[in-house]
Amino acid sequence: MTITPEKPLVQIEGLHKYYGHHHVLRGIDLTVNQGEVSVVIGPSGSGKSTMLRCVNLLETISAGRISVGGELIGYREVKGRLHDLKTKEIAAQRREIGMVFQRFNLFPHKTAMQNIMEAPIQVKGQSKAVARKRALELLDRVGLGDRAGHYPSQLSGGQQQRVAIARALAMDPELMLFDEPTSALDPELVGDVLNVMKDLAKSGMTMIVVTHEIGFAREVGDRLTFMDGGVVVESGDPREVLANPQHPRTKEFLSRVL
Amino acid sequence: MDSHQDAHAAPVLNNAVPVRHPGRWISAVIIVGVLLAFLQSLFTNPNFRWDVVGTYILDTKVVQGVMWTLFLTFASMVLAIVLAILLAFMRQSDNPVFRWSSWTWVWFFRGTPVYTQLLFWGLATVLYPTVVLGIPFGPAAITWVTSDPTHGLIPAILGLGLNESAYLAEIFRAGLKSVDQGQSEAAEALGMTKGKIMRRIILPQAMRVIVPPTGNETIGMLKTTSLVLAVPFTLDLTFATNALANRIYLPIPLLIVAAFWYLLVTSLLMVGQHFIEAHYGKGVDNRVPAAVNPAAAKAAAAPSAEAEPDLKMDFPEEEAK
């Protein structure tokens, strides 16, 4: 993929996160350019999911700043002081950011179609007809056009995750966050989800993907970031980092997962 | 599977001797015996006075009593549900004042007997002959003289409803807590506002947990209404049948009349509860695909559909094709 002028969409600067006295993120810096696929790997407990959840404010930010599309996330800066945004303003910021969860989190009382139509109707105020048409397009795009009337409990994990991706896309976000999207899936179902994500990457979507799928990182990633102990240990071109890791902790991690 | 069966065309069935269950037969004999003895007594014991039951079962006072009991149940449950939703939300709120107030409300109304509360509400106009709007310990702006023109109806509904709200608040809180955290996270990530997340995502799922105990409480309320004589409110079913019994000195047949009506209404409520439960169990309790358009169903059944054998188990109509 070619990215003409390097235009940063996401900028994370000096991000820290505490849970009580537990210092989970210890100063993360990460820039994701428009149209870029940024893959984040690392051992569990390294803080990569927490970092991702900070980007759409599912976690509060203890220190540092995150901006998406030039807009500061979660705060308003007035005379050099940060003020918390109201929940409504936070909701508005989240509309531009789609998120896919490890455990899908589809709404179990709604069909696949209704899951996708929910936010466009309720948040964007789209008409039912428009939302339905778009939902069908998206279901086709993730290969589930024939599953519109199925409830999540009637779908396999892989199918549920693809519906979840379609649901996030229905809001036309400018950024998609993937939080270990294939970790809860049976091995034979992982491929379908990864294929949908590859198509999405090809279409030019900006993506931050926290994953254990090294193959996906190598094939689709524009940048690979290795996190451990709440810091970025190493970051660079995925193929270079994977072939020739510089830091001993990266080497050790890769030797265990490859 | 098929080829495997062809290879062994006609398997010899095991025809195992089933385990005998003598206990079932013994228990059946005892229970049926007791039941028959009871039935016989119903027909032969003259003290039941079925003729009196027949006379009063549709008596105007009795039917009016049923209506008042239904109204009391309905009105106090509506009041209780509205308050309980408010209390449950307050308990979950970020606002510590709300959390504390909700807790205190539940503590007080759950901690005192409903009979005592009904007595209090009946005496409310004695306790507070006037209500004053003004600054506490300061000057009064407006003064009302309290009165109860409804002859105990409003105190009865307040007494029953406020007491019940404390129990329902706990049921609703449990229901809201039962919904997975990931649900509100997913809705938040879609940019939904708090109110919409509650109304469209959390509550419909919580209802699955909330409805059965609430139905239980409604049936309980139907019978708790018989305590309104504490207010006193004197038109409900229990009071009406008791009054008739005292007049004709025959308590037993009128107790049967009351029991018959309570049982009938309870049965109807149970039917209603069944349908409400079915509604909120959509997508979770039933695993049969719903609302699939026929074309899509055909497409789903086509052999090109991806192979997921364990999932196919859920769609017998697809396997058939």
Side-chain angles (χ1 to χ4, degrees), chain A residues 53 58 91 94-95 97 105-110 118 122-123 147 149-151 153-154 159 162 167 189 192, chain B residues 182-183 185-186 188-192 196 200-201 204-205 282-283 287-290 296 300 306 308 311 315:
Chain A
R53 289 163 60 84
L58 290 180
R94 283 176 173 144
R95 276 164 218 171
I97 306 168
N105 295 349
L106 288 181
F107 307 134
H109 59 304
K110 293 179 183 293
E118 180 67 16
Q122 296 298 326
V123 177
R147 292 284 195 270
H150 284 60
Y151 285 101
S153 63
Q154 297 160 340
Q159 292 172 331
R162 284 184 280 155
R167 177 176 70 175
L189 304 179
D192 291 332
Chain B
Q183 291 292 307
E185 282 187 358
E188 279 173 20
L190 288 166
M192 290 174 78
K196 280 202 167 142
R200 306 223 13 118
I201 307 300
Q205 294 181 60
K282 258 191 318 192
R287 306 251 307 159
V288 182
E306 64 225 287
E308 275 153 356
L311 188 80
F315 308 118

Side-chain angles (χ1 to χ4, degrees), chain B residues 89-109:
Chain B
F89 285 176
M90 284 167 72
R91 191 70 190 276
Q92 289 210 326
S93 163
D94 299 332
N95 183 336
V97 180
F98 282 168
R99 282 203 304 272
W100 184 84
S101 319
S102 172
W103 184 90
T104 309
W105 180 284
V106 171
W107 167 77
F108 180 79
F109 283 99

Side-chain angles (χ1 to χ4, degrees), chain B:
Chain B
M1 212 47 162
D2 283 341
S3 58
H4 180 77
Q5 275 181 354
D6 288 343
H8 308 272
V12 180
L13 298 177
N14 287 347
N15 272 331
V17 179
V19 176
R20 305 290 173 200
H21 298 285
R24 294 183 188 174
W25 290 101
I26 297 166
S27 59
V29 168
I30 295 170
I31 288 168
V32 169
V34 171
L35 211 61
L36 281 175
F38 177 64
L39 268 176
Q40 187 205 14
S41 78
L42 283 184
F43 285 104
T44 54
N45 187 338
N47 296 332
F48 277 114
R49 292 300 301 271
W50 292 105
D51 56 321
V52 180
V53 172
T55 312
Y56 285 98
I57 195 107
L58 292 174
D59 185 271
T60 321
K61 278 253 156 53
V62 172
V63 175
Q64 279 175 351
V66 172
M67 291 305 159
W68 278 112
T69 291
L70 277 175
F71 179 75
L72 279 172
T73 307
F74 178 77
S76 44
M77 280 312 281
V78 168
L79 176 65
I81 286 170
V82 171
L83 286 172
I85 290 172
L86 204 66
L87 288 165
F89 285 176
M90 284 167 72
R91 191 70 190 276
Q92 289 210 326
S93 163
D94 299 332
N95 183 336
V97 180
F98 282 168
R99 282 203 304 272
W100 184 84
S101 319
S102 172
W103 184 90
T104 309
W105 180 284
V106 171
W107 167 77
F108 180 79
F109 283 99
R110 208 170 50 166
T112 51
V114 64
Y115 192 81
T116 311
Q117 289 174 33
L118 284 166
L119 283 168
F120 250 105
W121 283 109
L123 294 168
T125 51
V126 179
L127 187 62
Y128 292 106
T130 56
V131 172
V132 177
L133 183 69
I135 300 160
F137 306 110
I142 314 168
T143 305
W144 289 283
V145 176
T146 55
S147 68
D148 176 25
T150 58
H151 304 292
L153 179 63
I154 287 177
I157 291 170
L158 283 174
L160 294 171
L162 265 53
N163 178 262
E164 185 59 37
S165 72
Y167 289 91
L168 284 183
E170 289 295 283
I171 291 173
F172 287 13
R173 189 165 72 93
L176 294 177
K177 280 181 93 166
S178 76
V179 180
D180 180 45
Q181 181 73 31
Q183 291 292 307
S184 54
E185 282 187 358
E188 279 173 20
L190 288 166
M192 290 174 78
T193 52
K194 271 192 165 177
K196 280 202 167 142
I197 294 172
M198 186 53 78
R199 227 177 32 251
R200 306 223 13 118
I201 307 300
I202 308 296
L203 259 187
Q205 294 181 60
M207 287 304 273
R208 265 188 70 245
V209 177
I210 289 171
V211 168
T214 302
N216 202 29
E217 291 291 314
T218 309
I219 287 166
M221 176 63 85
L222 180 75
K223 285 159 295 179
T224 308
T225 56
S226 61
L227 295 180
V228 292
L229 86 153
V231 173
F233 179 79
T234 56
L235 296 169
D236 74 295
L237 178 59
T238 293
F239 199 96
T241 50
N242 278 348
L244 287 170
N246 290 340
R247 207 173 64 197
I248 59 173
Y249 299 110
L250 286 171
I252 290 167
L254 281 145
L255 286 175
I256 293 172
V257 168
F260 166 81
W261 279 108
Y262 281 118
L263 206 53
L264 181 75
V265 175
T266 302
S267 310
L268 292 176
L269 289 175
M270 284 168 75
V271 173
Q273 184 183 341
H274 169 80
F275 285 107
I276 297 174
E277 277 181 33
H279 173 77
Y280 285 110
K282 258 191 318 192
V284 183
D285 294 339
N286 62 333
R287 306 251 307 159
V288 182
V292 185
N293 68 58
K298 264 207 187 111
S304 63
E306 64 225 287
E308 275 153 356
D310 56 339
L311 188 80
K312 281 265 163 85
M313 299 283 281
D314 297 328
F315 308 118
E317 77 277 10
E318 288 186 12
E319 288 229 299
K321 293 194 181 177

Side-chain angles (χ1 to χ4, degrees), chain A residues 70-212:
Chain A
E71 193 181 342
L72 193 59
I73 290 290
Y75 301 106
R76 181 188 303 110
E77 193 165 12
V78 183
K79 292 178 192 155
R81 266 212 81 176
L82 293 180
H83 294 250
D84 284 330
L85 289 184
K86 292 178 190 158
T87 51
K88 279 213 167 130
E89 296 166 320
I90 291 173
Q93 289 188 333
R94 283 176 173 144
R95 276 164 218 171
E96 305 299 325
I97 306 168
M99 179 140 184
V100 175
F101 298 85
Q102 181 177 357
R103 303 204 46 78
F104 331 135
N105 295 349
L106 288 181
F107 307 134
H109 59 304
K110 293 179 183 293
T111 61
M113 174 81 107
Q114 289 167 341
N115 263 279
I116 301 171
M117 289 165 62
E118 180 67 16
I121 292 175
Q122 296 298 326
V123 177
K124 279 189 163 179
Q126 276 182 12
S127 75
K128 266 198 178 172
V130 171
R132 185 184 303 275
K133 188 164 166 284
R134 177 96 169 101
L136 268 177
E137 282 169 18
L138 286 165
L139 277 171
D140 273 333
R141 184 166 165 191
V142 300
L144 293 170
D146 55 351
R147 292 284 195 270
H150 284 60
Y151 285 101
S153 63
Q154 297 160 340
L155 299 171
S156 73
Q159 292 172 331
Q160 287 189 53
Q161 193 60 296
R162 284 184 280 155
V163 173
I165 294 172
R167 177 176 70 175
L169 290 177
M171 289 297 285
D172 296 313
E174 50 180 348
L175 169 68
M176 283 284 284
L177 309 174
F178 291 84
D179 187 6
E180 304 198 25
T182 57
S183 297
L185 298 177
D186 290 338
E188 81 271 20
L189 304 179
V190 167
D192 291 332
V193 172
L194 290 182
N195 283 336
V196 167
M197 289 168 64
K198 281 175 200 167
D199 286 345
L200 194 57
K202 271 184 213 142
S203 75
M205 176 64 76
T206 313
M207 297 160 64
I208 306 179
V209 184
V210 169
T211 188
H212 295 291

